[in-house]
Amino acid sequence: MQPIATVCSHEQQKSSTVFKQTREAADDDDDDDGAELLDLAIVGAGVSGLMAAKTVADKNAGINFRLFEKSACAGGKLGGLKTRWITPHHYHAMCLCRDLNIPLTTVWRQSEVLGTRRSPHSIGPFGETPDGGLTSWREFLVRLESTRFMAELDCRCTTKHIAHDARNMDRFLRRKLLFEASRRFFRFLIKIGTGFYPAELTVSDCLKLFRSMSSVWDLYDMLTLQNGHLHPVGSPNWDVLVERLVAAVGVARLNYSTNIVRVELGGESLGEVVTLTDSTGRRWRARYVILAVSCQDLRQISVLPTGPLYPHQPDSQLGLWSMADFTLSYPAPYWRDHGYTGCIFSPSQGLLCYESGRNQLSGTYFSPLRGVVDETERSIVRETILRLLREHLSCRTMQKPLEWSLDVQPIPYYFDVLPTYRRCLIFASTNVSCWYRGFINGSVQGGIRAAILALLEIRPQTITFREVTDMQCIHFKYFRRRTGFEQFWCMLNLASVYRFARLVLGAGTVVLAIWVCHVTCRG
């Protein structure tokens, strides 16, 4: 495929000459200042940062770059919510695993138990019983309403052009859903899926965020652990992916235990230089910087002279402030003896759980604790998780694990940032990816996107048209044209039927009253 640079204009070539002269001048200044001058600096060695570095390194274009990681190891926060697995729909993550020769296996395959007379049961959000039924007609209607509304959201968000709708999403839920249980379910799903509370979003903004995960059903399937979830063979926490990314980038290019706290932009002239300062006062200089850190870490970095505006975390509408990622090991899979797979998705209790290995359960519990959690509060969270597992899995021995680990941290939230800030500062978290925000695939695609944006400035002749379209997911096939019947069918919901029935009954009451008055007057 023909590179984009072949169609560069004369003005672009002239700008390159000016940039080269500016670069030589900057090199002279750097010799005097003593700070290392880089073509590209990548802050953060999580999956996004490592993927951006790999994309740049694969070009073999002589670009001088380094990665700066505040912790003592690379990888970021893999293993948390939504980063435990991928599905075949996750295009960029699947391509990366093939490129790095990482074999994958399904989560369910390791959980299969041969010779069982009955298939184990997973616990869903709508009160299902082990025999596949529901506890009440109300639970049946809640599930029917919720699944119908997911179909409506998918109908709205998988179109190529999302219609503008300035209505508040929380009010939209109250209008579209009849049961409060359904509204609570979608408030929880929207919060953990997009990082926002429904009251903070318009309908069109919420649909755009859901489209970044391809569909609402895909998000629901991920959280309920349906068939098709993949992870590396023998490495459920994706350690092998991090190791091979580091090997592809080169260990010599990573600066561990380097906490960048300030990013200072230079002048307005072409080829401006950005200065990075870590917590010890050491400085580096780079022409372009990729910030591949989480939204919470991004707030801890001072961008001078004026940085982008970040919103403050609002008051919680769900009463949930922190998330506890846990792993529990038992002598045997007791939940199997009671007919359960170990997979739990209970939004009403803030619990997600799945069988992560041999005799092992992992998951996330959302708690109302705020701020720094001390040991006493950690013990309360642990006892709450064990109690919920005992109640859901009908097994008292769940409260006696052999080993357990617990990591409590604030619930992450996301906000939109521009892909570039004054051209030389590029954001690369999963939040700026086009698809599957918060998932491993979102981190991979966010890193590719940042690297392509940087290369278009540093070495535009190395970028192909295919890479630009792939970065923006233009070639993806998730968009569908819905027929009028499909749109009408997806829009049906119990709330609409209820309002229609009230309208018909109300009109009938008025007609009956008129008829009675007429008969009375005649009499």
Side-chain angles (χ1 to χ4, degrees):
M1 186 173 293
Q2 186 180 15
I4 289 179
T6 57
V7 296
C8 287
S9 64
H10 175 70
E11 288 76 8
Q12 290 174 315
Q13 296 175 359
K14 183 178 179 181
S15 298
S16 300
T17 304
V18 175
F19 177 81
K20 182 177 180 181
Q21 295 173 352
T22 308
R23 174 174 178 170
E24 293 173 353
D27 287 334
D28 295 337
D29 294 340
D30 181 64
D31 293 337
D32 297 334
D33 185 71
E36 183 181 3
L37 181 64
L38 304 168
D39 292 319
L40 176 66
I42 303 175
V43 180
V47 174
S48 294
L50 291 172
M51 192 64 212
K54 179 182 181 300
T55 305
V56 173
D58 288 346
K59 295 298 182 179
N60 293 320
I63 298 174
N64 182 22
F65 70 93
R66 297 194 69 82
L67 289 89
F68 301 92
E69 170 58 39
K70 69 176 183 179
S71 64
C73 59
K77 296 180 180 179
L78 279 175
L81 180 67
K82 299 195 297 184
T83 61
R84 298 188 181 104
W85 43 70
I86 63 175
T87 73
H89 294 294
H90 293 186
Y91 170 79
H92 296 94
M94 293 293 292
C95 290
L96 177 61
C97 290
R98 287 194 294 268
D99 185 29
L100 297 178
N101 193 26
I102 298 176
L104 301 174
T105 185
T106 60
V107 176
W108 279 104
R109 188 168 298 164
Q110 74 170 11
S111 301
E112 290 175 351
V113 178
L114 299 178
T116 56
R117 296 183 179 180
R118 58 177 182 175
S119 59
H121 172 67
S122 298
I123 299 174
F126 303 116
E128 293 91 344
T129 58
D131 59 2
L134 293 169
T135 56
S136 66
W137 275 101
R138 184 181 181 84
E139 294 293 345
F140 170 77
L141 292 176
V142 168
R143 182 174 71 173
L144 175 63
E145 179 179 58
S146 299
T147 53
R148 294 299 303 168
F149 189 60
M150 279 192 278
E152 178 178 349
L153 291 176
D154 280 346
C155 183
R156 290 172 175 264
C157 74
T158 55
T159 57
K160 190 170 185 179
H161 300 288
I162 295 178
H164 177 70
D165 192 336
R167 288 178 293 176
N168 182 273
M169 190 62 191
D170 194 65
R171 296 177 183 174
F172 187 71
L173 293 178
R174 292 199 298 268
R175 175 173 176 79
K176 285 288 186 177
L177 301 174
L178 182 62
F179 297 101
E180 183 60 29
S182 302
R183 298 168 189 165
R184 288 197 303 268
F185 168 74
F186 277 98
R187 289 186 185 113
F188 182 83
L189 193 68
I190 290 172
K191 173 57 183 175
I192 64 176
T194 69
F196 295 97
Y197 298 109
E200 301 174 284
L201 295 170
T202 64
V203 174
S204 54
D205 287 340
C206 186
L207 293 176
K208 290 176 182 177
L209 290 171
F210 273 135
R211 191 172 72 176
S212 74
M213 289 165 277
S214 83
S215 72
V216 185
W217 269 111
D218 272 357
L219 174 62
Y220 179 73
D221 286 346
M222 289 291 294
L223 297 176
T224 53
L225 197 65
Q226 300 298 321
N227 290 328
H229 293 66
L230 305 171
H231 67 87
V233 175
S235 179
N237 293 325
W238 295 89
D239 295 334
V240 63
L241 174 64
V242 176
E243 292 172 0
R244 297 194 181 182
L245 280 174
V246 171
V249 172
V251 179
R253 288 193 169 110
L254 276 84
N255 283 37
Y256 293 112
S257 302
T258 305
N259 184 19
I260 301 298
V261 296
R262 186 172 69 176
V263 175
E264 186 173 0
L265 281 69
E268 297 289 344
S269 61
L270 184 65
E272 58 185 336
V273 175
V274 183
T275 303
L276 292 81
T277 307
D278 69 1
S279 56
T280 65
R282 186 178 178 184
R283 298 195 307 162
W284 290 266
R285 301 175 69 198
R287 295 182 178 85
Y288 296 91
V289 175
I290 292 177
L291 294 178
V293 296
S294 65
C295 297
Q296 292 180 347
D297 291 338
L298 193 59
R299 293 179 58 123
Q300 308 303 318
I301 299 177
S302 299
V303 180
L304 302 175
T306 55
L309 297 177
Y310 305 137
H312 296 286
Q313 174 73 322
D315 293 334
S316 174
Q317 297 173 325
L318 300 174
L320 304 176
W321 291 95
S322 62
M323 53 187 291
D325 294 325
F326 63 88
T327 298
L328 307 169
S329 298
Y330 292 89
Y334 300 121
W335 51 93
R336 290 282 176 181
D337 297 334
H338 290 76
Y340 294 98
T341 63
C343 182
I344 303 172
F345 179 37
S346 177
S348 61
Q349 296 175 316
L351 179 66
L352 290 93
C353 181
Y354 72 104
E355 187 180 74
S356 57
R358 183 178 179 83
N359 306 335
Q360 180 176 283
L361 293 178
S362 296
T364 301
Y365 169 67
F366 297 86
S367 77
L369 298 177
R370 301 182 61 175
V372 179
V373 179
D374 57 24
E375 288 302 319
T376 302
E377 292 173 325
R378 285 172 58 88
S379 299
I380 294 175
V381 171
R382 175 179 177 271
E383 293 303 319
T384 303
I385 293 172
L386 295 178
R387 175 181 59 80
L388 292 175
L389 291 178
R390 182 199 67 190
E391 294 174 355
H392 281 293
L393 303 176
S394 304
C395 183
R396 292 183 177 273
T397 52
M398 299 305 300
Q399 291 191 286
K400 299 179 180 179
L402 291 176
E403 299 178 356
W404 66 279
S405 64
L406 187 68
D407 179 25
V408 183
Q409 56 188 336
I411 296 178
Y413 61 97
Y414 303 104
F415 52 89
D416 284 325
V417 293
L418 298 176
T420 59
Y421 179 66
R422 288 181 56 181
R423 295 178 57 122
C424 56
L425 194 59
I426 303 170
F427 298 97
S429 72
T430 179
N431 188 50
V432 298
S433 63
C434 293
W435 297 97
Y436 298 100
R437 296 187 180 192
F439 293 93
I440 291 177
N441 189 84
S443 299
V444 174
Q445 197 262 342
I448 296 174
R449 178 185 178 93
I452 297 300
L453 290 172
L455 288 169
L456 285 171
E457 299 291 339
I458 302 172
R459 297 286 192 278
Q461 63 271 22
T462 64
I463 304 301
T464 64
F465 179 76
R466 169 70 186 210
E467 288 173 320
V468 174
T469 57
D470 178 72
M471 173 194 73
Q472 299 175 341
C473 302
I474 293 175
H475 66 284
F476 276 39
K477 306 300 182 183
Y478 296 125
F479 303 127
R480 287 188 55 190
R481 178 168 300 201
R482 309 272 182 171
T483 64
F485 176 77
E486 285 180 310
Q487 294 180 16
F488 173 76
W489 182 250
C490 290
M491 298 302 174
L492 287 179
N493 54 71
L494 293 180
S496 299
V497 174
Y498 176 72
R499 283 193 297 271
F500 178 75
R502 286 187 60 184
L503 180 63
V504 171
L505 291 177
T509 303
V510 172
V511 172
L512 179 62
I514 294 174
W515 181 80
V516 171
C517 291
H518 176 68
V519 172
T520 304
C521 292
R522 288 188 62 183

